């Protein structure tokens, strides 16, 4: 069920398919995947998926999960994903010319605390 939710976003479907095929999705591909998928998958499901990347061990997958969870990272905005994509070979965003592509907030429903955290960030930034 949770995997089906993630597949509603073309970029996440692309990352899931690439991981299922055992492809190396790159450091930033794994980071984006973890930052988004942690809101839909259990810890063990997320770690299992990351390990499908042929160059990523269980220890590395667990470490990335704990980092993302511990820092409570919000899912990245499209602009950040494209910036990270430019720093690696694997295309995280399969259709970067489409302005709606790779916007996880357009296709996925996150827990309310994600939106609250973003709102607090913008309020704090405006006060600075």
């Amino acid at each position: 069920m949770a995997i089906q939710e993630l597949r509603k976003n073309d970029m996440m479907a692309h990352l899931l398919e690439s991981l299922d095929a055992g492809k190396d999705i790159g450091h930033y591909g794994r980071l984006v995947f973890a930052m988004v998928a942690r809101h839909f998958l259990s810890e063990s499901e997320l770690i299992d998926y990351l390990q499908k990347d042929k160059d990523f061990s269980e220890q590395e997958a667990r470490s990335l999960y704990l980092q993302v969870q511990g820092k409570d990272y919000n899912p990245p905005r499209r602009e950040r994903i494209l910036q990270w994509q430019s720093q690696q070979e694997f295309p995280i965003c399969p259709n970067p010319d489409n302005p709606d592509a790779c916007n996880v907030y357009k296709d996925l429903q996150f827990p309310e605390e994600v939106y609250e955290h973003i709102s607090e960030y913008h309020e704090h930034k405006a006060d600075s």
Side-chain angles (χ1 to χ4, degrees):
M1 174 88 169
I3 295 290
Q4 293 309 100
E5 280 297 305
L6 285 172
R7 289 189 188 283
K8 290 180 179 179
N9 178 265
D10 289 341
M11 177 192 70
M12 291 304 292
H14 166 66
L15 291 173
L16 286 163
E17 290 163 13
S18 297
L19 287 168
D20 281 336
K23 293 183 180 176
D24 177 356
I25 63 172
H27 169 72
Y28 290 112
R30 292 185 292 267
L31 180 60
V32 168
F33 181 81
M35 290 170 79
V36 175
R38 77 183 185 100
H39 297 287
F40 296 88
L41 304 177
S42 70
E43 177 179 348
S44 62
E45 289 173 312
L46 195 147
I47 290 169
D48 286 347
Y49 247 95
L50 286 171
Q51 287 180 84
K52 291 181 178 190
D53 183 321
K54 62 183 171 104
D55 293 329
F56 213 57
S57 70
E58 178 181 358
Q59 183 178 2
E60 290 169 314
R62 188 169 306 284
S63 177
L64 178 59
Y65 173 81
L66 292 173
Q67 174 191 350
V68 169
Q69 193 72 6
K71 299 230 185 238
D72 197 24
Y73 290 141
N74 282 326
R77 293 183 10 222
R78 178 183 191 280
E79 294 77 16
R80 173 71 64 176
I81 293 167
L82 294 176
Q83 178 187 26
W84 286 342
Q85 178 171 293
S86 72
Q87 299 176 39
Q88 69 175 39
E89 194 172 316
F90 179 84
I92 300 166
C93 185
N95 190 6
D97 295 331
N98 177 348
D100 288 331
C102 303
N103 179 354
V104 294
Y105 294 98
K106 180 178 181 288
D107 302 317
L108 302 174
Q109 182 63 46
F110 293 96
E112 190 58 38
E113 55 267 15
V114 170
Y115 303 104
E116 289 171 7
H117 190 253
I118 292 167
S119 179
E120 288 171 11
Y121 167 78
H122 287 294
E123 287 173 14
H124 179 72
K125 192 173 178 180
D127 290 342
S128 296

